[in-house]
Amino acid sequence: MKHTLSRSLAPALLLAVSLTALRAADTIKFGEFASLTGKEATFGQMSHNGTRLAVDELNAAGGLLGKKIELITEDDQSKAGEPATVVRKLISRDKVVAILGEVASSRSLEAAPICQQNKIPMISPSSTNPKVTETGDYIFRVCFIDPFQGTVMANFATKTLKAKNVAVLTDVKSDYSVGLAKFFKERFLANGGKIAADRTYSGGDKDFRAQLTALKAAKPDGIFLPGYYTEAGLIVRQAQSLGLTVPIFGGDGWESSKLVEIGGKAMEGKYFSTHFSPEEKSAAVDNFVKKFKAKFNEAPDAMAALGYDSAMLLADAIKRAGTTDGPKVRDALAATKGLSGVTGKTTLDAARNATKSAVIITVKNGQFKYLETIAP
Ligand code: PHE
């Protein structure tokens, strides 16, 4: 009985195994790691949805090199230590041809040396710390870097806010925050401004009253907060309850649908810089916003737009390379010039970075409102 059964099952099993093998060889695997859960969950979710939209469109248009693209996504839970684990898995178990990710600079920095060692190209959609691409010649990004973003916000403080004496509160656990604070201060001092106070916290902290009390005593005429939305929302809320009424502003790390939920009414009139606004007037933005809303029932943010552009950049390079071989795809990526996307044209420079405009957003009636675009 047992014998007959296994004999009759054997051909079916063989067919199933060879079909799986065929299918695996028949797709081009894009690996992605993202914070789908945890403290910065909206970063990963939005970036992932942008990436998915791009892959779906590419597949609908026939795929790449005659094959369909398979997007394999791993959740790093917004936690240090996870990016290394999941990226190793994507490379050795799934045999992805390239890696897309991450949003947060510290998590990109954790994965980058692994991609570099394995000669697997990595494209960060939105990590802005310069060190990310300095890791090596397999590491790319589709966004601007923080020396530019720091300059944009220092000039905004000097020219628009007319601030002369700004306090800075930095997350020491975040490479992004530490870098952006530094670049902001350099330019603000060069503009003739002073730093009234310079204090720190650690990502995950919930009570910022000691630091805010010290900032208040220094009588600043503005506060720069280069952190992520969870802490930024709490800090702005606590600043208001301590009677700190000066303008408060930050960088792209503020961008999340959760920011106003966390910061509440205290967020009104605050400012931040980022990469994209659905309100920008351009055919590429309009078209993207329409498609994204139709698929996900919400408006895209900067991470969604950059996630989309990162997948399109990879597809473009594979097409030009005519192969998924790591070193050849790397060379094609490095040669990218004037590739049109949602966040503008991507030209990768010798340091594998893009040069793009920044936008400034303010919070009005609990909504993000586009103010202006700052060209590089
Ligand atoms: N630039 C941030 C970083 O490097 C991540 C980020 C990008 C956050 C875009 C929000 C929007 O860590």
Side-chain angles (χ1 to χ4, degrees):
M1 188 61 191
K2 202 171 162 221
H3 185 70
T4 336
L5 190 72
S6 62
R7 248 190 23 209
S8 63
L9 267 180
L13 206 69
L14 211 82
L15 188 70
V17 167
S18 51
L19 268 181
T20 314
L22 246 182
R23 215 177 293 132
D26 255 1
T27 62
I28 292 181
K29 292 177 174 177
F30 285 11
E32 183 198 20
F33 69 116
S35 55
L36 298 177
T37 58
K39 202 161 72 66
E40 280 95 39
T42 68
F43 286 180
Q45 291 161 0
M46 289 305 265
S47 187
H48 173 60
N49 283 350
T51 305
R52 265 177 64 196
L53 180 60
V55 169
D56 288 352
E57 280 178 21
L58 288 160
N59 280 337
L64 270 182
L65 312 180
K67 296 179 179 183
K68 291 276 186 238
I69 302 165
E70 189 180 342
L71 179 64
I72 306 180
T73 307
E74 288 285 340
D75 177 14
D76 62 33
Q77 303 163 53
S78 311
K79 270 193 206 145
E82 285 300 314
T85 309
V86 299
V87 163
R88 275 201 189 95
K89 238 196 263 172
L90 287 169
I91 295 174
S92 57
R93 178 198 63 192
D94 299 316
K95 311 264 185 279
V96 299
V97 302
I99 299 272
L100 302 171
E102 229 255 20
V103 171
S105 288
S106 295
R107 293 193 281 273
S108 288
L109 279 164
E110 209 187 292
I114 300 164
C115 296
Q116 180 69 29
Q117 272 159 21
N118 287 283
K119 295 193 171 19
I120 294 292
M122 168 178 146
I123 305 169
S124 167
S126 48
S127 288
T128 46
N129 188 279
K131 291 184 291 182
V132 172
T133 45
E134 286 165 12
T135 304
D137 62 351
Y138 277 76
I139 317 300
F140 300 85
R141 77 180 105 214
V142 281
C143 58
F144 58 64
I145 56 175
D146 284 333
F148 171 64
Q149 183 165 217
T151 297
V152 165
M153 287 321 276
N155 291 344
F156 179 77
T158 303
K159 292 180 192 153
T160 306
L161 301 176
K162 313 263 182 261
K164 297 202 160 53
N165 197 30
V166 167
V168 180
L169 186 51
T170 307
D171 176 356
V172 285
K173 282 223 288 223
S174 153
D175 293 282
Y176 157 76
S177 189
V178 170
L180 186 53
K182 170 175 168 273
F183 300 120
F184 171 84
K185 285 185 274 184
E186 283 171 7
R187 175 54 67 118
F188 190 65
L189 291 171
N191 285 349
K194 287 201 183 71
I195 301 302
D198 203 351
R199 288 287 189 282
T200 61
Y201 64 92
S202 292
D205 286 356
K206 300 227 154 35
D207 185 348
F208 305 90
R209 283 172 295 188
Q211 292 95 320
L212 288 168
T213 303
L215 296 195
K216 192 178 178 194
K219 298 201 169 31
D221 55 9
I223 299 174
F224 183 52
L225 220 56
Y228 292 149
Y229 65 90
T230 304
E231 288 82 10
L234 290 171
I235 292 169
V236 168
R237 185 188 272 271
Q238 290 172 21
Q240 170 149 315
S241 74
L242 287 171
L244 263 163
T245 53
V246 296
I248 306 183
F249 49 102
D252 55 352
W254 279 29
E255 188 168 359
S256 169
S257 55
K258 300 275 174 211
L259 180 74
V260 174
E261 219 176 285
I262 298 168
K265 287 230 158 48
M267 289 315 307
E268 283 298 302
K270 307 299 183 277
Y271 307 93
F272 64 93
S273 51
T274 187
H275 309 256
F276 160 93
S277 161
E279 290 177 72
E280 278 175 285
K281 296 265 168 293
S282 101
V285 169
D286 281 353
N287 185 27
F288 176 68
V289 170
K290 233 181 265 149
K291 289 185 298 190
F292 191 93
K293 277 189 179 159
K295 196 172 174 87
F296 301 111
N297 256 318
E298 62 178 325
D301 63 8
M303 286 136 283
L306 288 164
Y308 181 91
D309 283 354
S310 69
M312 288 301 189
L313 170 71
L314 176 58
D316 174 71
I318 291 174
K319 247 184 248 163
R320 281 185 287 112
T323 167
T324 54
D325 177 49
K328 299 222 170 76
V329 174
R330 191 226 78 86
D331 290 350
L333 279 169
T336 302
K337 279 197 182 59
L339 177 68
S340 289
V342 180
T343 57
K345 283 203 184 340
T346 301
T347 294
L348 293 173
D349 62 22
R352 298 166 301 284
N353 298 321
T355 301
K356 297 204 170 150
S357 296
V359 301
I360 299 193
I361 307 271
T362 190
V363 180
K364 203 177 171 194
N365 301 322
Q367 307 283 330
F368 290 165
K369 202 175 165 338
Y370 166 79
L371 284 183
E372 57 178 323
T373 299
I374 314 282

mmCIF file of all heavy atoms in Angstrom, residues 43 103-106 126-129 132 141 143 146 149 174-177 228 251-255 274-275 302-303 306, ligand 1:
data_model
loop_
_atom_site.group_PDB
_atom_site.id
_atom_site.type_symbol
_atom_site.label_atom_id
_atom_site.label_comp_id
_atom_site.label_asym_id
_atom_site.label_seq_id
_atom_site.Cartn_x
_atom_site.Cartn_y
_atom_site.Cartn_z
ATOM 1 N N PHE A 43 7.765 54.594 7.759
ATOM 2 C CA PHE A 43 8.854 54.726 6.767
ATOM 3 C C PHE A 43 8.858 53.496 5.844
ATOM 4 O O PHE A 43 8.850 53.613 4.626
ATOM 5 C CB PHE A 43 10.232 54.786 7.447
ATOM 6 C CG PHE A 43 10.572 56.080 8.134
ATOM 7 C CD1 PHE A 43 11.811 56.219 8.786
ATOM 8 C CD2 PHE A 43 9.705 57.156 8.138
ATOM 9 C CE1 PHE A 43 12.159 57.406 9.417
ATOM 10 C CE2 PHE A 43 10.048 58.348 8.769
ATOM 11 C CZ PHE A 43 11.283 58.471 9.413
ATOM 12 N N VAL A 103 15.265 53.092 4.474
ATOM 13 C CA VAL A 103 14.966 54.511 4.642
ATOM 14 C C VAL A 103 15.962 55.118 5.644
ATOM 15 O O VAL A 103 16.692 56.061 5.335
ATOM 16 C CB VAL A 103 13.501 54.704 5.095
ATOM 17 C CG1 VAL A 103 13.239 56.152 5.483
ATOM 18 C CG2 VAL A 103 12.546 54.262 3.989
ATOM 19 N N ALA A 104 16.019 54.546 6.835
ATOM 20 C CA ALA A 104 16.852 55.110 7.911
ATOM 21 C C ALA A 104 18.340 54.865 7.661
ATOM 22 O O ALA A 104 18.756 53.739 7.382
ATOM 23 C CB ALA A 104 16.446 54.497 9.240
ATOM 24 N N SER A 105 19.138 55.902 7.793
ATOM 25 C CA SER A 105 20.569 55.799 7.485
ATOM 26 C C SER A 105 21.279 54.744 8.330
ATOM 27 O O SER A 105 22.112 53.995 7.818
ATOM 28 C CB SER A 105 21.248 57.157 7.676
ATOM 29 O OG SER A 105 20.874 58.041 6.648
ATOM 30 N N SER A 106 20.996 54.668 9.616
ATOM 31 C CA SER A 106 21.706 53.702 10.466
ATOM 32 C C SER A 106 21.453 52.276 9.995
ATOM 33 O O SER A 106 22.347 51.423 10.045
ATOM 34 C CB SER A 106 21.290 53.842 11.934
ATOM 35 O OG SER A 106 21.682 55.099 12.419
ATOM 36 N N SER A 126 16.161 56.422 0.381
ATOM 37 C CA SER A 126 16.033 57.724 1.056
ATOM 38 C C SER A 126 16.950 57.951 2.242
ATOM 39 O O SER A 126 16.734 58.889 2.993
ATOM 40 C CB SER A 126 14.570 57.915 1.460
ATOM 41 O OG SER A 126 14.078 56.763 2.103
ATOM 42 N N SER A 127 17.992 57.129 2.412
ATOM 43 C CA SER A 127 18.968 57.408 3.470
ATOM 44 C C SER A 127 19.840 58.570 3.017
ATOM 45 O O SER A 127 20.437 58.518 1.947
ATOM 46 C CB SER A 127 19.849 56.194 3.724
ATOM 47 O OG SER A 127 19.119 55.189 4.376
ATOM 48 N N THR A 128 19.950 59.597 3.843
ATOM 49 C CA THR A 128 20.608 60.830 3.417
ATOM 50 C C THR A 128 21.989 61.042 4.042
ATOM 51 O O THR A 128 22.675 61.991 3.692
ATOM 52 C CB THR A 128 19.702 62.037 3.724
ATOM 53 O OG1 THR A 128 19.191 61.898 5.060
ATOM 54 C CG2 THR A 128 18.541 62.126 2.754
ATOM 55 N N ASN A 129 22.391 60.183 4.984
ATOM 56 C CA ASN A 129 23.710 60.368 5.583
ATOM 57 C C ASN A 129 24.812 60.031 4.572
ATOM 58 O O ASN A 129 24.773 58.976 3.939
ATOM 59 C CB ASN A 129 23.857 59.505 6.843
ATOM 60 C CG ASN A 129 25.147 59.830 7.577
ATOM 61 O OD1 ASN A 129 26.213 59.361 7.207
ATOM 62 N ND2 ASN A 129 25.055 60.662 8.582
ATOM 63 N N VAL A 132 26.624 56.406 3.996
ATOM 64 C CA VAL A 132 25.975 55.220 3.415
ATOM 65 C C VAL A 132 26.668 54.807 2.118
ATOM 66 O O VAL A 132 27.119 53.668 1.983
ATOM 67 C CB VAL A 132 24.464 55.481 3.185
ATOM 68 C CG1 VAL A 132 23.821 54.346 2.400
ATOM 69 C CG2 VAL A 132 23.758 55.681 4.523
ATOM 70 N N ARG A 141 22.316 55.601 -3.963
ATOM 71 C CA ARG A 141 21.033 56.135 -3.449
ATOM 72 C C ARG A 141 20.389 57.015 -4.507
ATOM 73 O O ARG A 141 21.085 57.518 -5.398
ATOM 74 C CB ARG A 141 21.248 56.888 -2.139
ATOM 75 C CG ARG A 141 21.839 58.269 -2.288
ATOM 76 C CD ARG A 141 22.031 58.949 -0.927
ATOM 77 N NE ARG A 141 23.428 58.970 -0.539
ATOM 78 C CZ ARG A 141 23.868 58.863 0.710
ATOM 79 N NH1 ARG A 141 23.024 58.749 1.706
ATOM 80 N NH2 ARG A 141 25.159 58.886 0.973
ATOM 81 N N CYS A 143 18.445 59.707 -3.585
ATOM 82 C CA CYS A 143 18.031 60.959 -2.939
ATOM 83 C C CYS A 143 19.230 61.884 -2.729
ATOM 84 O O CYS A 143 20.370 61.465 -2.899
ATOM 85 C CB CYS A 143 17.395 60.642 -1.591
ATOM 86 S SG CYS A 143 18.494 59.729 -0.491
ATOM 87 N N ASP A 146 22.693 64.798 3.255
ATOM 88 C CA ASP A 146 22.452 65.758 4.331
ATOM 89 C C ASP A 146 23.306 67.029 4.350
ATOM 90 O O ASP A 146 22.871 68.015 4.945
ATOM 91 C CB ASP A 146 22.480 65.051 5.676
ATOM 92 C CG ASP A 146 21.191 64.267 5.895
ATOM 93 O OD1 ASP A 146 20.160 64.684 5.304
ATOM 94 O OD2 ASP A 146 21.193 63.258 6.606
ATOM 95 N N GLN A 149 20.725 68.982 2.719
ATOM 96 C CA GLN A 149 19.526 69.193 3.549
ATOM 97 C C GLN A 149 19.840 70.127 4.734
ATOM 98 O O GLN A 149 19.033 70.982 5.090
ATOM 99 C CB GLN A 149 18.982 67.848 4.052
ATOM 100 C CG GLN A 149 17.704 68.009 4.862
ATOM 101 C CD GLN A 149 16.919 66.737 5.077
ATOM 102 O OE1 GLN A 149 15.692 66.771 5.065
ATOM 103 N NE2 GLN A 149 17.574 65.619 5.284
ATOM 104 N N SER A 174 21.176 57.925 16.267
ATOM 105 C CA SER A 174 20.865 57.903 14.835
ATOM 106 C C SER A 174 21.952 58.613 14.027
ATOM 107 O O SER A 174 22.214 59.804 14.230
ATOM 108 C CB SER A 174 19.501 58.578 14.631
ATOM 109 O OG SER A 174 19.389 59.133 13.345
ATOM 110 N N ASP A 175 22.592 57.889 13.107
ATOM 111 C CA ASP A 175 23.607 58.502 12.238
ATOM 112 C C ASP A 175 23.015 59.670 11.467
ATOM 113 O O ASP A 175 23.677 60.677 11.234
ATOM 114 C CB ASP A 175 24.152 57.470 11.239
ATOM 115 C CG ASP A 175 24.937 56.379 11.941
ATOM 116 O OD1 ASP A 175 26.091 56.634 12.312
ATOM 117 O OD2 ASP A 175 24.395 55.277 12.142
ATOM 118 N N TYR A 176 21.770 59.496 11.059
ATOM 119 C CA TYR A 176 21.071 60.555 10.328
ATOM 120 C C TYR A 176 20.997 61.831 11.160
ATOM 121 O O TYR A 176 21.369 62.916 10.709
ATOM 122 C CB TYR A 176 19.666 60.058 9.973
ATOM 123 C CG TYR A 176 18.653 61.140 9.722
ATOM 124 C CD1 TYR A 176 18.653 61.862 8.533
ATOM 125 C CD2 TYR A 176 17.671 61.446 10.680
ATOM 126 C CE1 TYR A 176 17.707 62.853 8.301
ATOM 127 C CE2 TYR A 176 16.727 62.425 10.457
ATOM 128 C CZ TYR A 176 16.751 63.134 9.267
ATOM 129 O OH TYR A 176 15.825 64.112 9.044
ATOM 130 N N SER A 177 20.533 61.695 12.393
ATOM 131 C CA SER A 177 20.334 62.862 13.249
ATOM 132 C C SER A 177 21.657 63.563 13.560
ATOM 133 O O SER A 177 21.772 64.788 13.458
ATOM 134 C CB SER A 177 19.635 62.422 14.542
ATOM 135 O OG SER A 177 19.248 63.539 15.299
ATOM 136 N N TYR A 228 13.563 61.594 14.123
ATOM 137 C CA TYR A 228 12.456 60.898 13.470
ATOM 138 C C TYR A 228 11.128 61.271 14.132
ATOM 139 O O TYR A 228 11.087 61.753 15.257
ATOM 140 C CB TYR A 228 12.678 59.388 13.516
ATOM 141 C CG TYR A 228 13.837 58.913 12.661
ATOM 142 C CD1 TYR A 228 14.573 57.807 13.021
ATOM 143 C CD2 TYR A 228 14.176 59.579 11.487
ATOM 144 C CE1 TYR A 228 15.634 57.357 12.237
ATOM 145 C CE2 TYR A 228 15.232 59.138 10.694
ATOM 146 C CZ TYR A 228 15.961 58.034 11.073
ATOM 147 O OH TYR A 228 16.994 57.606 10.290
ATOM 148 N N GLY A 251 13.989 67.925 9.717
ATOM 149 C CA GLY A 251 14.308 67.430 8.380
ATOM 150 C C GLY A 251 13.331 66.356 7.943
ATOM 151 O O GLY A 251 12.245 66.186 8.524
ATOM 152 N N ASP A 252 13.726 65.583 6.934
ATOM 153 C CA ASP A 252 12.828 64.589 6.342
ATOM 154 C C ASP A 252 12.357 63.521 7.333
ATOM 155 O O ASP A 252 11.295 62.940 7.153
ATOM 156 C CB ASP A 252 13.473 63.945 5.097
ATOM 157 C CG ASP A 252 14.843 63.328 5.351
ATOM 158 O OD1 ASP A 252 15.398 63.512 6.454
ATOM 159 O OD2 ASP A 252 15.365 62.667 4.433
ATOM 160 N N GLY A 253 13.153 63.306 8.400
ATOM 161 C CA GLY A 253 12.778 62.291 9.397
ATOM 162 C C GLY A 253 11.459 62.565 10.093
ATOM 163 O O GLY A 253 10.875 61.674 10.714
ATOM 164 N N TRP A 254 10.949 63.791 9.969
ATOM 165 C CA TRP A 254 9.652 64.117 10.569
ATOM 166 C C TRP A 254 8.500 63.540 9.760
ATOM 167 O O TRP A 254 7.370 63.452 10.229
ATOM 168 C CB TRP A 254 9.450 65.633 10.579
ATOM 169 C CG TRP A 254 10.120 66.376 11.673
ATOM 170 C CD1 TRP A 254 11.271 66.038 12.319
ATOM 171 C CD2 TRP A 254 9.679 67.616 12.249
ATOM 172 N NE1 TRP A 254 11.572 67.000 13.249
ATOM 173 C CE2 TRP A 254 10.620 67.970 13.232
ATOM 174 C CE3 TRP A 254 8.586 68.463 12.024
ATOM 175 C CZ2 TRP A 254 10.489 69.138 13.997
ATOM 176 C CZ3 TRP A 254 8.458 69.608 12.771
ATOM 177 C CH2 TRP A 254 9.395 69.948 13.757
ATOM 178 N N GLU A 255 8.755 63.205 8.522
ATOM 179 C CA GLU A 255 7.646 62.916 7.627
ATOM 180 C C GLU A 255 6.982 61.579 7.932
ATOM 181 O O GLU A 255 7.550 60.509 7.740
ATOM 182 C CB GLU A 255 8.096 62.923 6.167
ATOM 183 C CG GLU A 255 6.876 62.825 5.270
ATOM 184 C CD GLU A 255 7.152 63.101 3.821
ATOM 185 O OE1 GLU A 255 8.284 63.398 3.446
ATOM 186 O OE2 GLU A 255 6.180 62.998 3.059
ATOM 187 N N THR A 274 11.837 67.984 3.098
ATOM 188 C CA THR A 274 11.798 66.593 2.635
ATOM 189 C C THR A 274 12.046 66.538 1.122
ATOM 190 O O THR A 274 12.526 67.525 0.548
ATOM 191 C CB THR A 274 10.506 65.869 3.091
ATOM 192 O OG1 THR A 274 10.599 64.486 2.754
ATOM 193 C CG2 THR A 274 9.253 66.472 2.455
ATOM 194 N N HIS A 275 11.737 65.408 0.503
ATOM 195 C CA HIS A 275 12.148 65.153 -0.883
ATOM 196 C C HIS A 275 11.036 65.367 -1.900
ATOM 197 O O HIS A 275 11.296 65.375 -3.093
ATOM 198 C CB HIS A 275 12.608 63.692 -1.028
ATOM 199 C CG HIS A 275 13.603 63.292 -0.002
ATOM 200 N ND1 HIS A 275 14.938 63.162 -0.264
ATOM 201 C CD2 HIS A 275 13.468 62.996 1.326
ATOM 202 C CE1 HIS A 275 15.582 62.794 0.833
ATOM 203 N NE2 HIS A 275 14.709 62.686 1.810
ATOM 204 N N ALA A 302 7.185 61.165 0.696
ATOM 205 C CA ALA A 302 8.527 61.148 0.094
ATOM 206 C C ALA A 302 9.084 59.730 0.014
ATOM 207 O O ALA A 302 9.718 59.354 -0.970
ATOM 208 C CB ALA A 302 9.475 62.037 0.896
ATOM 209 N N MET A 303 8.852 58.945 1.072
ATOM 210 C CA MET A 303 9.411 57.596 1.066
ATOM 211 C C MET A 303 8.785 56.744 -0.027
ATOM 212 O O MET A 303 9.460 55.928 -0.654
ATOM 213 C CB MET A 303 9.224 56.921 2.420
ATOM 214 C CG MET A 303 10.169 57.486 3.453
ATOM 215 S SD MET A 303 9.363 57.779 5.006
ATOM 216 C CE MET A 303 8.482 59.264 4.649
ATOM 217 N N LEU A 306 10.342 57.888 -3.367
ATOM 218 C CA LEU A 306 11.732 57.439 -3.511
ATOM 219 C C LEU A 306 11.824 55.918 -3.611
ATOM 220 O O LEU A 306 12.697 55.388 -4.302
ATOM 221 C CB LEU A 306 12.582 57.974 -2.346
ATOM 222 C CG LEU A 306 12.856 59.488 -2.417
ATOM 223 C CD1 LEU A 306 13.347 60.025 -1.081
ATOM 224 C CD2 LEU A 306 13.879 59.814 -3.514
HETATM 225 N N1 PHE B 1 16.757 60.594 5.450
HETATM 226 C C1 PHE B 1 16.418 59.799 6.603
HETATM 227 C C2 PHE B 1 17.639 59.017 7.047
HETATM 228 O O1 PHE B 1 18.626 59.019 6.381
HETATM 229 C C3 PHE B 1 15.275 58.877 6.341
HETATM 230 C C4 PHE B 1 14.014 59.484 5.773
HETATM 231 C C5 PHE B 1 13.889 59.745 4.410
HETATM 232 C C6 PHE B 1 12.957 59.770 6.553
HETATM 233 C C7 PHE B 1 12.735 60.310 3.861
HETATM 234 C C8 PHE B 1 11.796 60.324 6.050
HETATM 235 C C9 PHE B 1 11.698 60.624 4.682
HETATM 236 O O2 PHE B 1 17.665 58.383 8.052
#
